[in-house]
Amino acid sequence: MVADRFPQSKAEALALLAAGGGPVVAGGTDLMVKRRRWSGLAPAIPETAVYVANIAELSYVKRRGSKIEIGGATPLEIILEHPLTPALLRGAIKETGSPGIRNTATLGGNLVNASPAADPALALTCLGASVRLESVKGVREVPVLGLSTGPGRTILNQDELLTAVLVPMDDGWNTAFVKVGGRKADAISKVSFASAVKIDDGIVTAFAVAFGAVGPTILRLPAIERTFVGLSCAEVREREKDIILAYGDVVRPIDDQRSNAHYRKTVALNLLSEFIRSI
Ligand SMILES: Cc1cc2nc3c(=O)[nH]c(=O)nc-3n(C[C@H](O)[C@H](O)[C@H](O)COP(=O)(O)OP(=O)(O)OC[C@H]3O[C@@H](n4cnc5c(N)ncnc54)[C@H](O)[C@@H]3O)c2cc1C
């Protein structure tokens, strides 16, 4: 029955997935495009699809301890308007699609779509956010970094639903999101960059940078980042050349319809240089 595919609660959705249902359809802004048929027929969404956009308990923004918890099916526009939303995530959502897309597209869909060019996912990776994955068998919490294993691929099992995103608050952090696209609005990133740094008494106490569209997944390298913690701002700036060399080894973009590898790598490393000089 069609009604079965529109569960009204998280429990109903998980039961449908446990019975072999899927794919999950949230806003459908990625899925409809991926499954479009050029003949003009409706997109090829299977009858077993589980529609989650109407599940109220999956759409919210609230504080949970030192974190912000966002329901997996919360539309991006709701998150953009919410006063609790961390500045870096707000900046990334502002640059995502158009208001029409943002009213339909969800945060969970942006993450599970697993595009290396996804803007909200880039901000969440930089902020060290995690996601809650649920099935009838149980719940697990995993970092956003590592959720995607390649374009369109994730670690989710067929019966798992992304039910919430947990985002550390970025109070006291200096954060920035930069998107380079083909036009000012409604463009998919050619390359994107997010940064977050915390400085106490001239000493770097936390440092995070993430790159979008420079490889098969969003790129963040905590092992390199940790080497800057404890340095003075001047010491970090003095290491600019070494930092660029270190990231230059791992930033490996591709040529595609939106841009080419050389342009992407040059811009990505220039954005990193600018950030280092601003510390
Ligand atoms: C015109 C246009 C412009 C766009 N511009 C941008 C842009 O600038 N930046 C950007 O980042 N993106 C952009 N997008 C992409 C898109 O809007 C986002 O990725 C969106 O957030 C996906 O969310 P959704 O709810 O529509 O996902 P859907 O299309 O419903 O689903 C996407 C994938 O996630 C899975 N899924 C969805 N929700 C869940 C869940 N809760 N649990 C488990 N699996 C789930 C689905 O099965 C599917 O595989 C654009 C899209 C369009 C059409």
Side-chain angles (χ1 to χ4, degrees), residues 24-175:
V24 171
V25 182
T29 61
D30 280 318
L31 221 50
M32 295 291 189
V33 175
K34 278 188 178 164
R35 296 188 179 232
R36 67 189 176 278
R37 288 186 284 183
W38 296 111
S39 57
L41 293 169
I45 307 284
E47 290 206 343
T48 50
V50 177
Y51 292 82
V52 299
N54 292 332
I55 302 179
E57 67 184 297
L58 292 178
S59 180
Y60 59 86
V61 180
K62 67 182 181 194
R63 189 184 290 263
R64 179 182 280 269
S66 62
K67 296 190 175 175
I68 305 300
E69 181 176 322
I70 302 173
T74 311
L76 297 179
E77 193 69 18
I78 300 280
I79 304 167
L80 179 64
E81 300 297 332
H82 203 284
L84 284 177
T85 300
L88 184 61
L89 180 59
R90 180 175 292 119
I93 292 177
K94 220 172 169 179
E95 299 271 353
T96 301
S98 57
I101 290 292
R102 292 196 296 265
N103 269 298
T104 311
T106 65
L107 192 59
N110 193 262
L111 289 167
V112 181
N113 185 56
S115 162
D119 300 312
L122 180 71
L124 292 171
T125 304
C126 186
L127 288 170
S130 56
V131 291
R132 192 179 300 139
L133 304 178
E134 291 190 50
S135 73
V136 293
K137 293 181 217 130
V139 185
R140 56 179 176 146
E141 192 178 316
V142 298
V144 169
L145 180 67
L147 183 70
S148 167
T149 54
R153 294 197 307 273
T154 69
I155 60 165
L156 263 77
N157 296 318
Q158 170 277 325
D159 61 347
E160 280 183 314
L161 189 63
L162 190 160
T163 54
V165 182
L166 298 142
V167 196
M169 282 186 269
D170 61 359
D171 304 349
W173 290 67
N174 292 322
T175 61

